[in-house]
Each structure stands twice: as structure tokens, then as C-alpha cells.
Amino acid sequence: MFCYQCEQTAKGTGCDKMGVCGKQPDVSDLQDLVVYALTGLGQAAVAAKAEGKAVPLDTGRFFAKALFSTLTNVNFDPADFKPLIEETVARREALAKVLAASLPEGPATFRPALDLAGLTRQGAEHGLKNIPETNPDILSLKHTLIFGLKGVAAYADHAAILGQEDPAVYEFLYQGLADTFTTDKDLGAWVALVLKCGEVNLRTMELLDAANTGAYGHPVPTEVPLGAKAGKAILVSGHDLKDLKALLEQTAGLGINIYTHGEMLPAHGYPELKKHPHFYGHYGTAWQNQHKEFAAFPGAILMTTNCIQRPADSYLGNIFTTGLVGWPGATHVKNGEFGPVIEKAKAMPGFAADTDQGTVMTGFARNAIMSVAGTVIDAVKAGKIKHFFLVAGCDGAKPGRNYYTEFVEKAPADTIVLTLACGKFRFFDKKLGDIGGIPRLLDMGQCNDAYSAIQVAVALAKAFECGVNDLPLSMILSWYEQKAVAILLTLLHLGIKNMRLGPTLPAFLTPNVLNYLVANYDIKPISTPEEDLKAILG
Ligand code: FSO
Ligand code: SF4
């Protein structure tokens, strides 16, 4: 195995014995084989387009799902990858049959082994290091593109689940993976292709925004209890709002309270979700704390997407996976049929008593912020708001991530902190007060709601008649997995400069590629909160 797709990669260079995330070598090799097989399907789809032949829309949907299953902390179950590889090849063959041209030797002619052991051996021969490329900088960009495409695939899958699709997104997924097996593009063309991935991701996040707000309404500012209510309980983690909605409907009137965990917190702001009286509160913090937090939860736990960690034996029997998530030994439920989760919650003790642990606010997505845009703009003009910080991205276990907590604590009282994704759990319950009625800490949502932040930044730039880079706005980003890579590429595509990125820089960027980003975008690693605040606020 060799994997260096996420921030916590071993020694900052790559996991090659076993994943720091818990991914076993066989799963890593099988995931590489999924990507290899998808590359072949991508080549077939590109060839079909060139011949004017249609690629079924559901092939795009499948492609996104299969790629999503290889993201960090999504699926650790080897058995789940065999059917994905077989379906990929079957779909490729169906396309190959109608093509006039024959497909090149390689991923497009690959024949999968018949059993899991054989597939694992094949996967070991088709990893990231086996992609045809002699120039290390171009190889770095090819890997960046693969990881960015994984992020796009995740958001495309979420959007498709709620009925929002754009064939152009799927076409880019096909083309992007197919291009990793070409050798005719120079460094400049590869930089352009990687930035194009950011552009396609923006479109994908736009689709997802339309999907979420179309199905559940625009989020509204909402106070969410952090304590518990006496009674039976189910905890829902991940990003999938449709699963949450289905569970809320299936538990109506049963006396079971539903709690969010991790990235599901912003779900409390959606009118069509918050209307359910038993959608109670939020439990716990970010994904890397689940061992401790899940072990103490007295009800069933449902993982809808990443980030799952190896469940401790004490709660393996209470945790359920759905969608693309998998863990060997954890019960997987399909098609929104949550009966087993509900039965487990009924059989478990639930919370014995009410506990008060305060509240947090969420629901400050673009619509909510735009509705007070006039007040915000006046406060900036009157000098009451000096600066905005977007402190956003993922959380993780590294101690260096305390930077983000301290940064928010030390941000001066005349500044506003916008946040999104699971990195917010480093400071989400801080009471930062308000500026003329505008809360100083605004939770805009999940990682995909970076779309909301971009829309707000563009609207502010318009109001102040300047570019986004000229606004009193700084981006302080934390990254962990491949959705964050896709968002970073979107910000680069938009020409955003001066971003600060941590806790460490991606291992998959070579020094030359990094230098290019520094020279053209002034992107910098985080230093200390004091130094960075001083440099930003002058
Ligand atoms: Fe976090 Fe995990 Fe949302 Fe990621 S829970 S780390 S970027 O999957 O998706 O922010
Ligand atoms: Fe290592 Fe991250 Fe890959 Fe897991 S996802 S194997 S931690 S680089």
C-alpha cells in the first residue's frame, strides 16, 4: 500500500504499512484498484463522447459513488470493493461494445481477478506510484487532481441523492481520471487542469447547495442544546441530510430523541428538519473524538458518511453504517430503512436525566447572512467591524490544531469569525459576543457550505466595489481529507490569495508545485496565532 491523500499521513510522507486512519493494506490496495478501474471507465466515457455516443447518466452517478468510497474514513470493509470494481468493469464493457474505436491497453482493458485476494494483488500493482509519469512535479499534480476529483465525487453524490445533477460534472470526473494516464501535457497544462477541478467543484457545491436548500429550506439561525434530554436516543453523524430526514420521519412519535454529531450539527438550521419536535440537540465534538464520545452515548449511532474510526468493542454493536460507509463487523443498513437502528435505540438505556451543557448557534448560511447584509456593511463602514476571518476546514487529532482555537480566542473584539466544517469544534462553544447585534461567531454549515462563504464574500466585494482579495477578509484554513482538497482548488480557481493553511501542508505537493502556489497565490502555512493576527491586521 501507499497512501498520502490526507493530512495525517504517516511521518508527513505517506502510509505504507498501514494507514494512520486505520486503513489496512488490503483495503488501500482495493481502493487503488477502484480508482484504476474507474480510470478505464473514464477512458471509455471520454471515447464515447468523442464519437457522439451517450453515456448513461446513472453511470456518472455510479462513478461518483465508487470514487467517494475511496475517500479517507469512509469505507474500511474489503468486501465492499469487489462489487464496485466488477460493476465499473461491466459499465466500461457496455460502453466499449458501442465504440467504433478500440480502447488503449491499460485501465480500459483491465480484467478483474475473481476473488478478493486476487483483486488485492492487482491493486498493489496499480497504486499512485504506478501512474505513468516521469516528471515528479506532473506526478504531484496528477495525484492532486485524483484527490480533488474524490472531493468533487463526494459532493456530486450528495447532490445527486437529492436530485441535483449536471452531466458536465460527471464528464469532468471521467476526463480527469482518464487524463492521469496521458503523457502529452506539460506542467502549465497540468496546473490548468488542477484549477479546472476547482471550477468544477464550485459548480458541484452549487448543485449541493440547491439540493439541500431545495429539499429542506434555507437554514435559519438556530440555537442548539449541547446537553441531553431524558429518554431514548439516536446519534447521527456524517453529512447526509436525506438520511437524517428519513430517520426523523421513521422515529416520529416513538419517544426517541435524535442528536447530531460532528458535521451534522448545521442540520438543525434547516426548516424542514428542525420542525421535527424530537430533533433535539447536538452531542460531542469532531470526528477524531468519537472513541471517547461514542462509548459514552447511551443509544444507537448512525454514520452516514465520513469520518468513521475503528469502533471500540464497547459500541461496535450499537453503531450502524449506511450509504457508502463501511466497517467490518458494524451493521450496514440500506435504502433509508432504519428499523434496526430504531430497534437498537429502544433496547438501549437512553439518557437517564436531562442535562444542561449550554447551547451553540448554527444556521448562518448565505441566505441568513445576506438578509442582514445592510447592517453588516454599515458596521464595516462605521469602523465597528474591522476584519472578517473565515476560520474553516476540518479537524483532526494533531496537537498543532490548537492553533485554530487560540486564533479565534485571540481575534480582536472588533472582528467577526465565520466558520464551517468540523474544524469549528475547536471553538464552536466559545461565547464571543456580538457587534451591534451581529454574533461574532457565525457557523455557516458543513464543509460543502464553503459555497455559502464564497457567495457571501462575492456579495461583500460587490457592495464595497472591490475584489474579494481587497476585502478585509482572511482565510485561515485547516484541511484533513479530499473534500478539503477540492475546496482548496476552488479557492485557487477563484484567485483567492493569502490563504493560511495548516496544520501541515499536503505531502503530495512537490517543492516546485508548492513554490508555484506561493509565488502565484501567496498561500502560506500557519505560524502562530499571534504572528498571523499581527501580520493580517498590521
Ligand atoms: Fe470533517 Fe471528516 Fe466535512 Fe471531512 S467530518 S473531515 S473535509 O469528512 O467532510 O469536515
Ligand atoms: Fe494514511 Fe490518510 Fe491514506 Fe489513511 S487516508 S492511509 S491516514 S494517508
Side-chain angles (χ1 to χ4, degrees), residues 155 239 263 287 306-307 393-395 421-423 447 480-481 483-484:
Y155 292 141
H239 304 72
E263 276 282 72
W287 64 270
N306 43 352
C307 285
C394 328
D395 207 349
C422 60
C447 47
Y480 174 62
E481 45 90 344
K483 282 179 271 177

Side-chain angles (χ1 to χ4, degrees), residues 282-299:
H282 183 81
Y283 174 89
T285 52
W287 64 270
Q288 76 279 0
N289 302 323
Q290 62 191 258
H291 267 166
K292 194 166 146 242
E293 294 172 353
F294 286 4
F297 190 76

Side-chain angles (χ1 to χ4, degrees), residues 104-129:
E105 285 291 312
T109 55
F110 148 75
R111 299 256 147 239
L114 296 177
D115 60 6
L116 213 48
L119 290 170
T120 307
R121 278 195 297 278
Q122 286 180 321
E125 286 164 15
H126 296 298
L128 288 167
K129 289 184 173 172

Side-chain angles (χ1 to χ4, degrees), residues 3-222:
C3 181
Y4 66 168
Q5 65 181 0
C6 84
E7 194 275 336
Q8 70 178 4
T9 196
K11 300 189 207 91
T13 52
C15 298
D16 52 9
K17 293 189 176 61
M18 129 150 217
V20 174
C21 58
K23 186 158 84 176
Q24 300 292 332
D26 60 339
V27 170
S28 185
D29 292 341
L30 288 164
Q31 290 184 346
D32 284 347
L33 197 62
V34 170
V35 174
Y36 183 73
L38 286 173
T39 304
L41 175 55
Q43 290 174 329
V46 169
K49 193 184 174 199
E51 291 185 15
K53 290 172 179 139
V55 179
L57 197 61
D58 73 355
T59 290
R61 219 170 288 155
F62 166 79
F63 199 98
K65 275 192 192 303
L67 201 49
F68 188 2
S69 70
T70 71
L71 254 76
T72 300
N73 289 349
V74 174
N75 198 322
F76 294 84
D77 194 341
D80 286 348
F81 296 102
K82 187 167 179 277
L84 283 179
I85 293 163
E86 287 166 351
E87 185 170 346
T88 304
V89 172
R91 286 179 183 267
R92 183 197 77 201
E93 287 303 289
L95 278 178
K97 262 194 207 137
V98 298
L99 288 176
S102 54
L103 292 165
E105 285 291 312
T109 55
F110 148 75
R111 299 256 147 239
L114 296 177
D115 60 6
L116 213 48
L119 290 170
T120 307
R121 278 195 297 278
Q122 286 180 321
E125 286 164 15
H126 296 298
L128 288 167
K129 289 184 173 172
N130 304 102
I131 288 171
E133 189 53 65
T134 50
N135 179 327
D137 298 321
I138 295 183
L139 185 63
S140 164
L141 290 167
K142 285 185 173 181
H143 290 169
T144 307
L145 180 65
I146 291 173
F147 303 147
L149 291 170
K150 290 188 180 196
V152 174
Y155 292 141
D157 179 54
H158 281 298
I161 282 172
L162 289 169
Q164 288 284 339
E165 288 175 282
D166 180 348
V169 170
Y170 299 146
E171 280 168 22
F172 186 76
L173 295 179
Y174 304 142
Q175 183 77 55
L177 278 193
D179 279 347
T180 62
F181 269 67
T182 59
T183 47
D184 58 347
K185 279 183 270 304
D186 64 10
L187 202 62
W190 268 100
V191 169
L193 194 54
V194 163
L195 293 178
K196 174 85 181 160
C197 181
E199 183 183 351
V200 174
N201 186 55
L202 181 62
R203 169 70 182 135
T204 313
M205 289 194 299
E206 180 188 22
L207 288 171
L208 182 50
D209 179 278
N212 286 340
T213 57
Y216 308 118
H218 280 278
V220 294
T222 302

